[in-house]
């Protein structure tokens, strides 16, 4: 059993050991896994190339650690509880024994359809157990999964498939999220018109929606599963063999394929799950993220299964059929640990307290928050109404690139402070730097958050572009990993993340690069230039404000705005639709797009100095409007 910190003193003692002797510390944790072959070197690294290897020389398969080793003791224990979108539909319970068989079968399906170790496989599925089965089956044969959130558009899929040259895509006919219908297979058909690497498309029949099946390319999950054996021996992987790619937005260019490898990710996912949430045997764990984001990877699939836990996959939304859905779910499945996002909490807050009537939440012991800063008001609401004042809230700060949680209280152990992610986990050496890269010492300070030393779960590269990995994370402050976040350290040495300091907007916990969004908007026929900035949004944390320049007079702005939003939905996905759009008139056409964006951002930030006389540059009404609506 993995070690679990039990007291605050023990946390301090373990933390100190992890910083003074990281190799001793992480070798000790790694002892608790099943290895085909043990490592020769615990850690080898430099942040200049950067090159980071953990457990070099070791061989293992992560699914043996998630499944095979549990079978002797947990064959009949539930591994996954599936809660459907429609509460009238039956939920599903899948035992470790059943999950093990399903993964072995699907691993054989992948092999029978030409997937080999190292091949990339795209997964575009709803929140159904088959999504976890597909991920695990890939890991079992050594294929690299690239999961794409089922809210992304056809173009986003083809961009990602082309970038990592996926050989196969796994999808479903479609699904409902709330009342909204998603025709996944139709979207995939569209995406595959502009890809050339996909040889096979496996379709899981989830809702019996009519679909088009292209002969020679498209095959049904159930047909293939019926043809293969139920036996499968896991492929032994090298510690640093790739496990998955997950695309995420940055401040420049197209989304990048963040690459995670096998052994370090496994050790870190399992250790943080057990310690942050203070997981106990038999706990029912519920994380409401989607498997299309890193939170779903680490804390719905890998972290819980590595610990032999019971994990819930919820297909729906918090407000369907009504705003009591989360609380019904907790009551129905007797959830002990509940992990969600501030956006969801804020949106439910608006419905008042009546939605709790008659719902028994007494099974809850630990609450969690992730994805964006949680404001104090939402923190207290969550603490009082959901946790009834008794459950610690773990405000967990981390990123796609970090693989697992880096800053968080340990539930019930670390003294809490509302809206603070509190303290670093063992192995995580933080520092704050000023613009010049000088370390800011002491407490009661604020700066850019960096990390000094590698931790096992960190990303190793950007798929196909190691130089981009270096420039994005290791070049702003040489020798350090730069997170892109601003952060305060208070008088007690507690950390509070203040938000992104780069051009990334965090909308409901989803990262959207302003450059990427501007490129998408500029592709619209009526738009010649655009600039996107964030503004504070009551529910989403940040909203998207798009300023556009058109080259002709627009009679009906509302029609154009809707059209731009629909266009963004098509290019990126519905979650990236601008909340507000404003046509900007009066900017001289000679200015380049880049300069114009800078001017618009400055005005949006309320800074009209150094851009000349704004009244001659921009319609003064627009300046006022921008100032009123937007922030940094
Ligand atoms: C796990 C995840 C990462 C960005 C990160 C930061 C923000 C995440 C947070 C938080 C404040 C927290 N973020 N957790 N900000 N408090 N507890 O969300 O990964 O989608 O890559 O986003 O999200 O800005 O840099 P990802």
């Amino acid at each position: 059993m993995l070690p679990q910190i039990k007291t605050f003193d023990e946390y301090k003692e373990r933390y100190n050991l992890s910083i003074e002797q990281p190799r001793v510390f992480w070798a000790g944790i790694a002892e608790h896994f099943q290895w085909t072959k043990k490592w020769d070197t615990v850690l080898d690294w430099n942040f200049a190339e950067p090159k980071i290897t953990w457990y070099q020389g070791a061989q293992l398969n992560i699914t043996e650690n998630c499944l095979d080793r549990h079978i002797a003791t947990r064959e009949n224990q539930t591994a996954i509880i599936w809660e459907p979108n429609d509460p009238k539909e039956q939920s599903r319970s899948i035992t470790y024994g059943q999950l093990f068989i399903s993964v072995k079968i699907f691993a054989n399906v992948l092999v029978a359809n030409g997937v080999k170790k190292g091949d990339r496989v795209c997964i575009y599925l709803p929140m159904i157990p088959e999504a976890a089965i597909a991920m695990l089956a890939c890991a079992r044969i050594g294929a690299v999964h690239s999961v794409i959130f089922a809210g992304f558009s056809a173009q986003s899929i083809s961009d990602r498939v082309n970038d990592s040259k996926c050989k196969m895509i796994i999808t479903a006919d479609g699904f409902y999220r709330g009342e909204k219908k998603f025709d996944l297979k139709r979207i995939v058909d569209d995406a595959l018109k502009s890809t050339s690497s996909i040889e096979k498309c496996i379709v899981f029949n989830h809702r019996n929606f009519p679909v088009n099946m292209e002969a020679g390319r498209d095959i049904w999950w159930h047909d293939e599963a019926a043809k293969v054996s139920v036996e499968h021996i896991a492929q032994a992987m090298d510690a640093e063999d790739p496990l998955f790619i997950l695309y995420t937005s940055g401040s420049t260019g197209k989304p990048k394929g963040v690459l995670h490898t096998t052994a370090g990710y496994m050790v870190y996912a399992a250790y943080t799950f057990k310690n942050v949430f203070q997981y106990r045997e038999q706990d029912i764990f519920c994380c409401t993220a989607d498997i299309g984001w890193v939170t779903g990877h680490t804390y719905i699939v890998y972290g819980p299964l590595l610990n032999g836990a019971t994990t819930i996959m919820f297909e729906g939304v918090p407000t369907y059929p009504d705003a009591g859905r989360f609380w019904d779910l907790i009551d129905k499945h007797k959830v002990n640990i509940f992990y969600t996002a501030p956006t969801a909490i804020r949106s439910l807050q608006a419905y008042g307290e009546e939605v709790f009537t008659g719902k028994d939440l007494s099974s809850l012991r630990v609450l969690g928050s992730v994805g964006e800063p949680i404001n104090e008001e939402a923190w207290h609401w969550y603490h009082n109404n959901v946790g009834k004042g008794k459950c610690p809230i773990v405000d967990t700060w981390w990123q796609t690139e970090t693989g697992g949680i880096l800053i968080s209280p340990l539930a019930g152990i670390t003294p809490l402070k509302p809206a603070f992610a509190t303290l670093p986990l063992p192995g995580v050496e933080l520092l704050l730097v000023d613009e010049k890269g000088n370390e800011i010492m002491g407490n009661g300070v604020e700066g850019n958050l960096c990390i000094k030393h590698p931790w096992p779960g960190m990303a190793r590269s950007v798929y196909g572009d190691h130089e981009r990995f270096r420039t994005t994370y290791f070049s702003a402050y040489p020798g350090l990993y730069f997170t892109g976040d601003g952060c305060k350290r208070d008088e007690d040495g507690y950390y509070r993340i203040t938000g992104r300091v780069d051009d990334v907007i965090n909308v409901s916990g989803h990262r959207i690069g302003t450059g990427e969004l501007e490129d998408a908007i500029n592709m619209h026929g009526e738009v010649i230039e655009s600039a996107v900035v964030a503004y504070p949004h009551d529910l989403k944390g940040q909203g998207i404000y798009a300023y556009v320049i058109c080259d002709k007079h627009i009679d009906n702005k509302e029609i154009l705005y809707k059209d731009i939003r629909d266009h963004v939905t098509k290019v990126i996905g519905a979650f990236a639709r601008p909340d507000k759009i404003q046509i900007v008139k009066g900017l001289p056409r000679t200015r380049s797009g880049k300069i114009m964006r800078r001017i618009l951002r400055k005005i949006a930030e309320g800074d009209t100095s150094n851009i000349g006389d704004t009244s001659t540059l921009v319609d003064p009404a627009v300046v006022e409007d921008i100032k009123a609506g937007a922030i940094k």
Side-chain angles (χ1 to χ4, degrees):
M1 290 267 251
L2 266 175
Q4 192 172 48
I5 293 167
K6 286 289 168 212
T7 64
F8 196 47
D9 281 342
E10 192 189 343
Y11 158 74
K12 288 186 259 185
E13 181 267 311
R14 295 268 89 198
Y15 183 80
N16 290 339
L17 173 70
S18 76
I19 301 304
E20 282 154 21
Q21 298 184 63
R23 290 173 175 79
V24 172
F25 180 84
W26 288 113
I29 305 298
E31 289 295 343
H32 300 271
F33 293 83
Q34 185 174 310
W35 302 88
T36 314
K37 177 177 173 290
K38 286 268 177 78
W39 53 92
D40 303 318
T41 321
V42 180
L43 168 65
D44 189 16
W45 70 288
N46 72 72
F47 278 173
E49 294 178 58
K51 175 173 180 271
I52 304 120
T53 62
W54 283 93
Y55 308 113
Q56 193 73 290
Q59 289 204 321
L60 73 155
N61 189 286
I62 193 169
T63 71
E64 283 188 329
N65 285 276
C66 291
L67 300 168
D68 307 44
R69 70 173 168 149
H70 296 320
I71 291 306
T73 51
R74 302 184 194 275
E75 189 165 10
N76 298 318
Q77 182 198 319
T78 303
I80 298 176
I81 298 173
W82 177 69
E83 174 64 22
N85 181 58
D86 181 350
K88 294 201 276 305
E89 194 185 331
Q90 278 282 320
S91 49
R92 278 166 72 186
S93 281
I94 299 172
T95 64
Y96 271 90
Q98 290 164 336
L99 183 62
F100 187 36
I101 290 172
S102 301
V103 169
K104 288 189 288 186
I105 289 175
F106 202 64
N108 286 326
V109 167
L110 295 177
V111 172
N113 284 286
V115 182
K116 295 186 297 292
K117 180 180 173 205
D119 287 343
R120 278 78 55 212
V121 173
C122 176
I123 299 176
Y124 185 67
L125 283 171
M127 281 293 288
I128 51 177
E130 285 68 23
I133 292 167
M135 289 164 74
L136 293 164
C138 285
R140 195 161 179 89
I141 67 166
V144 183
H145 57 72
S146 167
V147 181
I148 300 180
F149 170 56
F152 273 112
S153 66
Q155 184 171 335
S156 296
I157 299 171
S158 51
D159 285 349
R160 287 159 173 75
V161 162
N162 290 336
D163 182 73
S164 49
K165 299 190 183 51
C166 294
K167 195 170 187 181
M168 174 186 276
I169 184 163
I170 302 165
T171 190
D173 49 346
F175 70 110
Y176 285 96
R177 191 189 284 131
E179 274 163 6
K180 205 164 164 220
K181 186 179 182 212
F182 291 79
D183 288 301
L184 293 187
K185 178 60 168 65
R186 195 179 47 69
I187 298 170
V188 166
D189 288 343
D190 249 14
L192 296 191
K193 286 184 193 142
S194 29
T195 62
S196 54
S197 57
I198 296 284
E199 292 169 13
K200 289 276 169 68
C201 170
I202 300 188
V203 186
F204 180 75
N205 182 18
H206 178 44
R207 291 289 175 213
N208 269 324
F209 295 166
V211 295
N212 157 58
M213 296 292 277
E214 194 177 296
R217 185 193 72 185
D218 302 349
I219 46 182
W220 288 106
W221 179 304
H222 58 265
D223 285 344
E224 297 304 301
K227 293 184 202 163
V228 297
S229 143
V230 298
E231 292 312 323
H232 183 273
I233 306 286
Q235 167 79 42
M237 303 294 288
D238 287 338
E240 286 295 341
D241 275 338
L243 177 63
F244 66 85
I245 300 168
L246 191 54
Y247 284 85
T248 191
S249 293
S251 46
T252 53
K254 291 258 176 217
K256 40 189 179 293
V258 172
L259 182 77
H260 283 282
T261 59
T262 306
Y265 174 82
M266 171 183 79
V267 169
Y268 201 72
Y271 181 75
T272 53
F273 176 81
K274 180 142 190 196
N275 281 280
V276 169
F277 300 105
Q278 288 290 304
Y279 168 74
R280 293 181 195 159
E281 273 299 308
Q282 307 298 322
D283 273 349
I284 309 289
F285 177 82
C286 177
C287 167
T288 69
D290 191 283
I291 46 121
W293 309 110
V294 74
T295 307
H297 282 58
T298 306
Y299 300 110
I300 293 177
V301 181
Y302 288 112
L305 297 179
L306 286 163
N307 280 282
T310 301
T311 182
I312 293 186
M313 289 182 81
F314 174 41
E315 188 187 28
V317 291
T319 47
Y320 179 82
D322 58 50
R325 185 64 194 278
F326 274 175
W327 326 129
D328 283 327
L329 185 157
I330 292 170
D331 189 350
K332 176 173 171 188
H333 298 293
K334 301 291 166 234
V335 171
N336 305 105
I337 307 172
F338 185 70
Y339 189 33
T340 193
T343 294
I345 298 166
R346 287 191 295 261
S347 70
L348 295 175
Q349 225 178 320
Y351 292 90
E353 270 89 76
E354 301 83 67
V355 293
F356 292 102
T357 313
K359 287 161 202 181
D360 179 8
L361 305 187
S362 61
S363 56
L364 287 175
R365 197 180 72 245
V366 175
L367 300 175
S369 167
V370 62
E372 29 170 342
I374 180 166
N375 47 308
E376 277 198 49
E377 195 195 343
W379 194 99
H380 285 293
W381 186 87
Y382 194 27
H383 193 251
N384 297 338
N385 294 289
V386 183
K388 313 293 178 203
K390 290 185 303 214
C391 305
I393 296 177
V394 288
D395 177 357
T396 63
W397 176 85
W398 59 297
Q399 310 178 298
T400 304
E401 296 85 345
T402 70
I405 298 165
L406 295 194
I407 312 179
S408 172
L410 304 180
I413 291 173
T414 310
L416 300 178
K417 244 186 227 191
F420 279 77
T422 74
L423 298 171
L425 297 188
V428 177
E429 207 172 342
L430 305 174
L431 80 167
L432 301 182
V433 297
D434 64 18
E435 297 295 328
K436 296 198 190 76
N438 298 319
E439 179 164 2
I440 304 170
M441 310 296 280
N443 288 341
V445 293
E446 182 169 357
N448 290 343
L449 182 64
C450 291
I451 303 167
K452 259 185 208 167
H453 188 274
W455 62 99
M458 75 186 295
R460 303 297 198 260
S461 194
V462 166
Y463 188 82
D465 195 348
H466 194 67
E467 178 58 11
R468 191 166 174 204
F469 185 59
R470 190 187 68 78
T471 52
T472 310
Y473 306 105
F474 301 91
S475 72
Y477 306 111
L480 301 175
Y481 169 85
F482 176 43
T483 64
D485 278 323
C487 182
K488 287 183 176 160
R489 184 167 54 220
D490 78 354
E491 296 301 338
D492 297 323
Y494 267 40
Y495 289 87
R496 177 184 191 147
I497 308 299
T498 50
R500 303 288 306 194
V501 293
D502 53 10
D503 290 333
V504 174
I505 303 184
N506 190 331
V507 181
S508 304
H510 304 330
R511 279 164 63 168
I512 303 169
T514 50
E516 193 190 339
L517 200 48
E518 286 160 355
D519 287 348
I521 294 172
N522 292 347
M523 281 158 58
H524 185 279
E526 303 288 349
V527 175
I528 54 170
E529 254 315 335
S530 65
V532 167
V533 291
Y535 72 99
H537 189 288
D538 286 350
L539 297 182
K540 301 178 182 182
Q542 291 190 314
I544 298 170
Y545 210 136
Y547 298 94
V548 297
I549 291 186
C550 302
D551 61 351
K552 56 176 192 259
H553 175 74
I554 303 292
D555 285 330
N556 191 329
K557 288 185 185 169
E558 290 313 316
I559 292 184
L560 174 70
Y561 294 166
K562 179 174 181 307
D563 206 50
I564 292 175
R565 290 191 175 98
D566 290 347
H567 172 74
V568 169
T569 306
K570 241 172 84 187
V571 180
I572 302 178
F575 62 92
R577 287 168 79 91
D579 299 277
K580 298 189 190 185
I581 306 178
Q582 173 78 56
I583 295 179
V584 177
K585 280 183 270 177
L587 271 180
R589 289 285 304 277
T590 48
R591 285 176 183 274
S592 75
K594 209 170 139 193
I595 295 174
M596 196 210 78
R597 286 178 204 179
R598 190 179 57 75
I599 293 174
L600 288 176
R601 288 207 183 114
K602 280 202 156 226
I603 300 171
E605 287 159 13
D607 175 6
T608 48
S609 61
N610 291 326
I611 55 167
D613 177 5
T614 52
S615 62
T616 64
L617 284 176
V618 191
D619 179 342
V622 173
V623 175
E624 285 316 307
D625 190 66
I626 295 174
K627 275 188 186 169
I631 55 143
K632 237 195 278 206

